[in-house]
Amino acid sequence: MIREIIAVSLLFALLALSLFNVKYIENKTDILANEIEQAHELYQNGDNEGAASHVEESLNNWLSWESYSHIMLRHSEIDIITGAYFALLEELEGDAKVTGASFDALIETLNDIAKKERITLGSLL
């Protein structure tokens, strides 16, 4: 009977840690997405340099999360997000007009991480 109690306790601990991990990822991606939204607002107001600076700060924030993200996230997702940051920065530093879709693409990519990490019935089975 003690083995069963220990096994059930471990399962509940794993579930609790998984829920904590999902909440942590959601909070972090929300912060990063908000930073990109602020950069988009700056760009719309004509402050290209401020927008680029804001995106760079968000990128540095993303890169500072590397020790956690390389353990907990898929490496393909990390590469996609990092690439999206650099693509947006390249557009902001270029002469062509940056569309809202460029900002939205990065925000959606960040939000996809949280969606994929959420616990669903399908992920449990």
Side-chain angles (χ1 to χ4, degrees):
M1 181 70 175
I2 264 206
R3 289 182 184 175
E4 289 83 4
I5 292 172
I6 291 173
V8 169
S9 298
L10 287 174
L11 287 174
F12 279 123
L14 286 173
L15 179 62
L17 290 171
S18 294
L19 293 172
F20 173 77
N21 182 53
V22 169
K23 189 65 177 165
Y24 181 76
I25 290 171
E26 286 176 346
N27 289 339
K28 185 66 172 184
T29 56
D30 283 345
I31 290 168
L32 294 170
N34 286 335
E35 290 173 347
I36 299 302
E37 287 174 2
Q38 291 172 357
H40 188 204
E41 288 177 20
L42 288 172
Y43 183 78
Q44 287 177 328
N45 293 331
D47 187 4
N48 295 7
E49 289 180 18
S53 175
H54 232 67
V55 172
E56 283 181 32
E57 288 176 29
S58 182
L59 173 61
N60 290 334
N61 192 358
W62 163 251
L63 294 175
S64 72
W65 198 37
E66 184 176 272
S67 60
Y68 181 84
S69 64
H70 279 3
I71 294 169
M72 300 305 289
L73 301 176
R74 293 165 198 84
H75 289 287
S76 59
E77 292 174 348
I78 295 168
D79 294 340
I80 289 169
I81 291 172
T82 305
Y85 266 110
F86 283 111
L88 180 57
L89 276 173
E90 185 177 333
E91 284 185 49
L92 286 169
E93 293 171 356
D95 294 331
K97 184 179 181 200
V98 180
T99 64
S102 297
F103 291 95
D104 293 341
L106 178 53
I107 291 169
E108 188 58 34
T109 305
L110 289 167
N111 290 333
D112 278 346
I113 291 176
K115 288 177 192 172
K116 288 178 184 174
E117 295 299 320
R118 286 190 185 115
I119 297 174
T120 63
L121 184 59
S123 67
L124 294 175
L125 298 177

